[in-house]
Amino acid sequence: MAKRILVLEGHPGPDSLCGALAAAYVQGATRAGHDVKLLRLSQMQFDPDMGPGFKPEKVLEPCLAEVQAALTWCEHLVIVHPLWWGLMPAKLKGLIDRVLLPGFAFRYEPGQMVPAKLLKGRSAEVLVTSDTPPWYLRFLLWTPGYRAMRKQILEFCGFSPVRFRTFAPVHGSDEKKRKGWIGKAERYGEVA
């Protein structure tokens, strides 16, 4: 069954492995008959700082309004980003801060401890590049960036299920290894 898929390539620079993985995912998903939109963080110009918080609200730059519209449109969200210092890049975090706002992504209800999840009915997949070997990241570091993305961002707003795919270690990888990862990303798009 065809899905509406938003691929958010979350590397702040152009010409990255993340960009190649995102493009491959789009290619596979398109070939499988899905309706796919690709947005690249490196092409967006916005203030990533929320300032003092949710109030007073900042006016969204056009690229952030486009991200909100694409999130409303999609049935499946794919975020592709590098793992820097155990977390996503600061510009991607700034996009999340500015886009996943109260009234759009969640809403606090009087008398309720847990906010309403306004992006329910959507699934998510996160493709992460890292220099840290996957076993070390999972068993010794307990994947803190993954847990925050899953529990405190995506599931908090209603995305479920949320799946992670790790491409690592990037440091020291050769062209053959990277081509293999790009092929995997394309296959993940085909079965989205």
Side-chain angles (χ1 to χ4, degrees), residues 102-118 120 156:
F104 173 74
F106 63 95
R107 180 179 53 247
Y108 290 106
E109 306 274 342
Q112 298 294 318
M113 282 183 55
V114 179
K117 301 172 183 213
L118 301 182
K120 271 180 155 176
F156 182 87

Side-chain angles (χ1 to χ4, degrees), residues 73-134:
W73 167 85
C74 81
E75 297 170 303
H76 183 64
L77 169 64
V78 179
I79 301 173
V80 186
H81 73 81
L83 197 66
W84 290 350
W85 293 106
L87 304 168
M88 69 189 84
K91 187 175 178 183
L92 178 57
K93 176 61 167 65
L95 179 140
I96 289 168
D97 287 347
R98 296 282 317 282
V99 167
L100 298 180
L101 299 171
F104 173 74
F106 63 95
R107 180 179 53 247
Y108 290 106
E109 306 274 342
Q112 298 294 318
M113 282 183 55
V114 179
K117 301 172 183 213
L118 301 182
L119 295 175
K120 271 180 155 176
R122 294 162 177 82
S123 55
E125 192 170 2
V126 186
L127 281 60
V128 181
T129 62
S130 174
D131 287 337
T132 306

Side-chain angles (χ1 to χ4, degrees), residues 2-182:
K3 294 180 190 171
R4 294 186 307 272
I5 299 175
L6 169 60
V7 177
L8 175 59
E9 192 259 301
H11 195 293
D15 302 322
S16 66
L17 176 58
C18 288
L21 294 171
Y25 192 102
V26 167
Q27 186 175 12
T30 301
R31 186 172 43 256
H34 299 295
D35 189 3
V36 186
K37 289 185 182 183
L38 172 62
L39 297 177
R40 293 187 184 276
L41 185 69
S42 63
Q43 297 173 349
M44 298 180 196
Q45 297 298 320
F46 63 92
D47 180 3
D49 187 1
M50 277 183 61
F54 293 130
K55 298 200 184 214
E57 293 180 18
K58 289 174 83 167
V59 174
L60 290 180
E61 291 87 345
C63 62
L64 297 183
E66 181 183 7
V67 173
Q68 277 193 342
L71 285 168
T72 300
W73 167 85
C74 81
E75 297 170 303
H76 183 64
L77 169 64
V78 179
I79 301 173
V80 186
H81 73 81
L83 197 66
W84 290 350
W85 293 106
L87 304 168
M88 69 189 84
K91 187 175 178 183
L92 178 57
K93 176 61 167 65
L95 179 140
I96 289 168
D97 287 347
R98 296 282 317 282
V99 167
L100 298 180
L101 299 171
F104 173 74
F106 63 95
R107 180 179 53 247
Y108 290 106
E109 306 274 342
Q112 298 294 318
M113 282 183 55
V114 179
K117 301 172 183 213
L118 301 182
L119 295 175
K120 271 180 155 176
R122 294 162 177 82
S123 55
E125 192 170 2
V126 186
L127 281 60
V128 181
T129 62
S130 174
D131 287 337
T132 306
W135 64 268
Y136 191 89
L137 185 63
R138 182 173 181 196
F139 296 113
L140 296 176
L141 300 178
W142 301 348
T143 58
Y146 290 30
R147 286 184 295 145
M149 178 69 85
R150 177 189 306 274
K151 295 292 183 190
Q152 295 179 287
I153 298 171
L154 295 172
E155 289 180 357
F156 182 87
C157 297
F159 288 91
S160 181
V162 176
R163 176 181 304 178
F164 286 82
R165 302 186 188 275
T166 305
F167 301 86
V170 174
H171 182 76
S173 64
D174 58 19
E175 186 177 340
K176 180 180 177 185
K177 184 72 166 175
R178 290 179 185 215
K179 281 185 179 180
W181 288 335
I182 291 166

